[in-house]
């Protein structure tokens, strides 16, 4: 069974399968750490909690001094993105998911020809997302999109170089799959991803060790539209909205034709339901993603 960590939820492989419908092809019991975003936040070091609170207080104070709230309207410093009252000025960067009704938005397997349109939508809606990028035929061929993802405040993350199933290859091969993407993103942006998503969500103790050695935390998901099966944007929207709950992680792909057209409707309905849409790191804050750890709602 996954070993216990302080305030981290120890989860059996059977439970992981039932909760996320992931096919983790593992034999016997695993020996790696799994935790949920809420548990990670609860277990954040006291110094990180104090720093987060000070950041939020300072941001709110600055906005109050300016005579505006987080919407840029006159009044007190109550935010409005999604549920709103738990956000500080500055949009998603200052959200407090300990109080706000947050959900993380993630996109896998890009960038692609669809990514510029997606970035336009996210910019218009003032939403930031986490992009788990592939190297071969994506990052390697679209460095401009990678630069734009970073420049517009989104989170850069790793989905391997060529989408090999990490649990099915040797540790040395898994390390190359992840390192090659790390190096490519660093060369383009000067930044190194801290998060990775194993292809098909398949991980094991060996993958966790490689991830830890490379400084990468593993991020699974709780919401999938299975957009690789359909180009029906209405169906994609329906599936996302039906599955979304607080502290969830939404998995979409910006490589499929029907996905990007679904995003405006998804964001509109999520905000209507009181959600604040954030990156994975914002969902975990004031905790910091721990290398090797598997994060699953």
């Amino acid at each position: 069974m996954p070993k216990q960590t302080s305030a981290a939820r120890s989860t059996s492989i059977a439970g992981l399968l039932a909760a996320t419908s992931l096919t983790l092809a593992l034999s016997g019991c695993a020996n790696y750490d799994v935790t949920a975003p809420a548990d990670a936040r609860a277990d954040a070091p006291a110094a990180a909690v104090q720093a987060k609170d000070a950041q939020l207080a300072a941001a709110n104070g600055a906005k109050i001094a300016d005579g505006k709230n987080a919407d840029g309207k006159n009044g007190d410093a109550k935010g409005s993105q999604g549920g709103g009252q738990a956000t500080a000025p500055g949009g998603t960067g200052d959200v407090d998911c300990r109080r706000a009704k947050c959900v993380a938005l993630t996109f896998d397997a890009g960038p692609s020809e669809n990514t510029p349109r997606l970035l336009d939508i996210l910019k218009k809606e003032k939403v930031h997302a986490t992009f788990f990028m592939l190297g071969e035929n994506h990052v390697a061929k679209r460095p401009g999109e990678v630069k734009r993802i970073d420049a517009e405040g989104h989170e850069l993350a790793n989905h391997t170089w060529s989408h090999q199933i990490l649990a099915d290859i040797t540790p040395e091969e898994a390390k190359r799959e992840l390192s090659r993407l790390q190096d490519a993103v660093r060369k383009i942006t000067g930044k190194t991803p801290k998060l990775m998503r194993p292809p098909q969500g398949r991980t094991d103790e060996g993958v966790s060790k490689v991830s830890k050695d490379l400084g990468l935390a593993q991020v699974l998901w709780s919401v999938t539209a299975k957009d690789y099966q359909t180009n029906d944007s209405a169906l994609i929207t329906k599936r996302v909205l039906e599955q979304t709950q607080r502290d969830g992680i939404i998995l979409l792909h910006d490589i499929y034709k029907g996905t990007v057209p679904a995003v405006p409707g998804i964001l509109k309905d999520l905000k209507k339901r009181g959600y604040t849409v954030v990156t994975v790191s914002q969902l975990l804050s004031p905790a910091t993603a721990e290398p090797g750890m598997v994060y699953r709602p």
Side-chain angles (χ1 to χ4, degrees), residues 187-232:
K187 183 176 180 180
I188 293 168
T189 67
K191 298 178 181 179
T192 305
K194 302 296 184 185
L195 306 176
M196 83 89 161
R197 176 168 285 155
Q200 297 183 10
R202 293 178 57 189
T203 189
D204 59 17
E205 184 177 0
V207 174
S208 295
K209 184 179 185 305
V210 169
S211 299
K212 184 175 182 178
D213 291 345
L214 293 175
L216 288 163
Q218 303 176 79
V219 180
L220 303 184
W221 62 89
S222 58
V223 179
T224 175
K226 296 185 178 180
D227 51 354
Y228 48 84
Q229 295 179 342
T230 179
N231 286 324
D232 186 337

Side-chain angles (χ1 to χ4, degrees), residues 13 16-17 23-32 167 202-205 207:
I13 294 303
L16 186 58
L17 286 166
T23 54
L24 303 181
L26 307 173
S27 58
C29 285
N31 185 30
Y32 59 90
R202 293 178 57 189
T203 189
D204 59 17
E205 184 177 0
V207 174

Side-chain angles (χ1 to χ4, degrees), residues 5 9 14 22 57 59 66 68 74 110-111 114 159 172 174 181 183 190 247 249 257 271 280:
T5 59
R9 185 171 55 189
L22 302 177
D66 194 39
K68 297 179 180 180
N74 292 331
N114 303 314
H159 196 41
E172 292 75 19
L181 190 284
D183 293 343
D247 286 333
I249 299 176
K257 186 184 299 184
K271 290 181 179 182
V280 171

